[in-house]
C-alpha cells in the first residue's frame, strides 16, 4: 500500500506537470523543425523514409501501433511488481532510478515542448490511419500531453527495465530483455510518435540516473548459484 500511494502521488505530480507543459505549445512545431534540422546535420536516418517503407507492410505497422499502446505501461508495471515481491532489496534502486529519469524527462517536456513526427508534413499518423490511435484526431484531446515528445519515456523506461532485469536476475535468458528497448525504439519511429533524438536524449538521462540503480545492495537478494562441493563429489566417486 505504501508503494501504491507513493507511485500514485508521483504519477499525479507528473501528470500535473505534463498538463502544465501542454499549455506551452506555441513553439512545439518550431522545435520540431529544429529537431529535424539537427538530425539532418547529424546525418541520422530519415524517419519519414523508414515509415513509408514500413507502410508497405500493414501488419508490421498494426503490430507497432499495438506494441506502442499496449506494452509500455503494463510491462513496466508488471516488472516493478515482480521486483517488489521477489527482489525487494533491489526494487528501490529501480524505483528511484525511474523517478529520476521521469523527473528529468518532465523538465524536458516543460522547457522544450515538441510536436511529434506524426503531426509534421511527410509523416503519417499510423494510429489514425489504422484505427488504433491512443490520442484521437484532436491534438488537444484526452489527458495526454501530445507535445511531450522530447524525451521519449517509452524508450527510457524500456531501457531501464531491460538493464535492471539483466543486472538483477541470473537467468541465461535475461539478455533477451534487450529486445524490449530495441523493439520500442523501432516502434516509436515507425509510428512517428518520436524522433531519433527523443530516444537518444532519454538514454543520456538514464546514464545520468544510473548511480541510483548501481548503489550497493542491488544484488543483495539475488539467489547465489549453487556450487557443488568438490570434496563431497570426490568422496562419492571413490565409493
Amino acid at each position: 500500500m505504501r508503494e501504491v500511494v507513493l507511485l500514485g502521488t508521483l504519477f499525479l505530480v507528473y501528470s500535473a506537470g505534463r498538463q502544465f507543459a501542454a499549455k506551452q505549445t506555441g513553439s512545439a512545431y518550431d522545435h520540431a523543425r529544429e529537431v529535424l534540422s539537427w538530425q539532418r546535420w547529424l546525418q541520422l536516418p530519415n524517419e519519414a523514409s523508414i515509415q513509408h517503407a514500413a507502410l508497405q507492410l500493414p501488419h508490421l505497422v498494426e503490430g507497432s501501433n499495438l506494441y506502442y499502446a499496449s506494452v509500455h505501461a503494463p510491462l513496466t508495471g508488471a516488472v516493478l511488481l515482480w521486483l517488489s515481491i521477489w527482489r525487494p532489496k533491489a526494487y528501490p534502486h529501480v524505483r528511484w532510478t525511474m523517478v529520476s529519469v521521469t523527473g528529468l524527462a518532465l523538465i524536458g517536456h516543460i522547457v522544450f515542448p515538441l510536436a511529434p513526427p506524426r503531426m509534421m508534413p511527410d509523416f503519417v499518423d499510423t494510429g489514425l490511419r489504422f484505427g488504433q490511435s491512443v490520442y484521437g484526431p484532436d491534438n488537444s484531446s484526452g489527458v495526454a500531453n501530445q507535445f511531450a515528445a522530447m524525451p521519449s519515456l517509452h524508450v527510457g523506461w524500456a531501457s531501464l527495465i531491460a538493464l535492471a532485469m539483466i543486472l538483477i536476475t541470473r537467468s541465461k535468458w535475461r539478455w533477451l530483455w534487450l529486445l524490449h528497448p530495441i523493439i520500442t525504439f523501432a516502434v516509436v519511429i515507425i509510428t512517428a510518435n518520436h524522433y531519433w533524438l527523443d530516444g537518444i536524449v532519454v538514454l543520456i538521462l538514464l546514464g545520468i540516473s544510473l548511480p541510483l540503480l548501481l548503489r550497493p545492495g542491488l544484488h543483495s537478494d539475488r539467489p547465489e548459484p549453487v556450487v557443488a562441493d568438490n570434496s563431497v563429489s570426490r568422496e562419492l566417486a571413490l565409493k
Side-chain angles (χ1 to χ4, degrees), residues 22-214:
K23 299 176 182 179
Q24 317 300 315
T25 59
S27 58
Y29 290 97
D30 290 335
H31 289 161
R33 286 185 283 270
E34 289 175 7
V35 168
L36 289 170
S37 177
W38 295 339
Q39 292 188 158
R40 285 192 295 270
W41 181 76
L42 291 170
Q43 297 185 356
L44 295 175
N46 184 282
E47 294 112 323
S49 298
I50 293 173
Q51 188 191 50
H52 292 162
L55 286 169
Q56 305 306 310
L57 303 169
H59 292 307
L60 173 63
V61 180
E62 290 174 354
S64 297
N65 287 335
L66 185 62
Y67 198 94
Y68 179 83
S70 306
V71 175
H72 172 58
L75 182 58
T76 301
V79 170
L80 290 176
L81 179 62
W82 185 89
L83 288 170
S84 69
I85 296 172
W86 297 105
R87 299 292 188 274
K89 294 180 181 178
Y91 168 74
H93 295 65
V94 181
R95 176 230 286 148
W96 289 119
T97 306
M98 181 167 290
V99 169
S100 174
V101 172
T102 305
L104 292 172
L106 179 57
I107 295 173
H109 298 161
I110 293 173
V111 303
F112 195 79
L114 178 65
R118 57 188 169 79
M119 296 181 183
M120 301 300 291
D122 298 327
F123 289 91
V124 173
D125 188 329
T126 60
L128 288 178
R129 171 169 291 192
F130 291 91
Q132 298 172 297
S133 177
V134 295
Y135 300 112
D138 184 355
N139 295 342
S140 62
S141 65
V143 298
N145 172 16
Q146 298 193 55
F147 297 99
M150 173 67 80
S152 169
L153 281 179
H154 271 73
V155 174
W157 285 11
S159 300
L160 172 58
I161 289 301
L163 179 61
M165 293 301 285
I166 289 170
L167 291 174
I168 294 169
T169 61
R170 284 194 175 276
S171 169
K172 65 180 180 180
W173 302 105
R174 68 187 187 278
W175 295 101
L176 291 177
W177 279 101
L178 289 174
L179 292 175
H180 180 39
I182 292 172
I183 293 173
T184 299
F185 213 144
V187 160
V188 299
I189 297 299
I190 290 173
T191 59
N193 279 293
H194 288 285
Y195 305 91
W196 292 115
L197 285 178
D198 298 342
I200 293 170
V201 168
V202 84
L203 292 178
I204 294 172
L205 299 183
L206 177 57
I208 293 172
S209 304
L210 273 186
L212 293 170
L213 179 65
L214 302 177

Side-chain angles (χ1 to χ4, degrees), residues 7-25:
L7 294 177
T9 301
L10 292 172
F11 177 75
L12 289 176
V13 171
Y14 174 73
S15 298
R18 279 176 62 101
Q19 287 305 305
F20 171 79
K23 299 176 182 179
Q24 317 300 315
T25 59

